[in-house]
Amino acid sequence: MARSAPPDEVFRSLADPTRRGILEHLLAGGEQNVRMLTERAGVSQATVSKHLGVLKQAGLVRDRPQGRMVHYAADPQGLSPLMDWIGFYSTFWRDRLDRLDTVLDRIEP
């Protein structure tokens, strides 16, 4: 079972536009190897490999070695810490704004 990364780690991994692009490409296109990702990314193979390592550490991609090649796939479950964080703050702000609305209704002439 894959570990769940802290939200900070997921945010940091997605802060880089190249990493976001790689993840989006894997989400849309399915499993791919580094060569295929490098052709699309517009950066060196070493750079793509480094970005994949960060995404893997954050639990956003998983790898599958096959012979001398390694195939990478997005792991949408890796976004769950981020979704949990967003859900918590969505509820937090909704509650606060509802209270503000109530206060404003009371002070309205």
Side-chain angles (χ1 to χ4, degrees):
M1 181 176 204
R3 71 171 182 84
S4 182
D8 286 352
E9 191 172 343
V10 178
F11 274 119
R12 269 192 303 277
S13 69
L14 294 174
D16 184 277
T18 302
R19 280 195 289 272
R20 281 194 313 272
I22 290 169
L23 180 63
E24 289 168 5
H25 193 65
L26 287 170
L27 285 165
E31 187 177 86
Q32 297 177 45
N33 61 39
V34 174
R35 183 187 51 78
M36 295 165 73
L37 292 167
T38 300
E39 288 172 1
R40 185 198 167 282
V43 293
S44 71
Q45 182 172 336
T47 299
V48 169
S49 293
K50 186 182 241 183
H51 284 308
L52 285 166
V54 172
L55 291 168
K56 183 179 173 187
Q57 182 70 30
L60 296 169
V61 300
R62 60 183 180 274
D63 59 357
R64 181 181 61 81
Q66 183 179 24
R68 295 173 67 171
M69 292 196 118
V70 179
H71 300 271
Y72 291 88
D75 187 355
Q77 192 62 34
L79 293 170
S80 63
L82 181 62
M83 299 308 293
D84 293 345
W85 185 89
I86 290 169
F88 172 80
Y89 281 100
S90 174
T91 302
F92 172 86
W93 284 111
R94 188 176 321 116
D95 292 347
R96 298 305 185 278
L97 293 173
D98 286 347
R99 285 193 229 159
L100 177 60
D101 194 37
T102 301
V103 169
L104 291 175
D105 285 344
R106 278 193 245 149
I107 65 173
E108 205 168 80

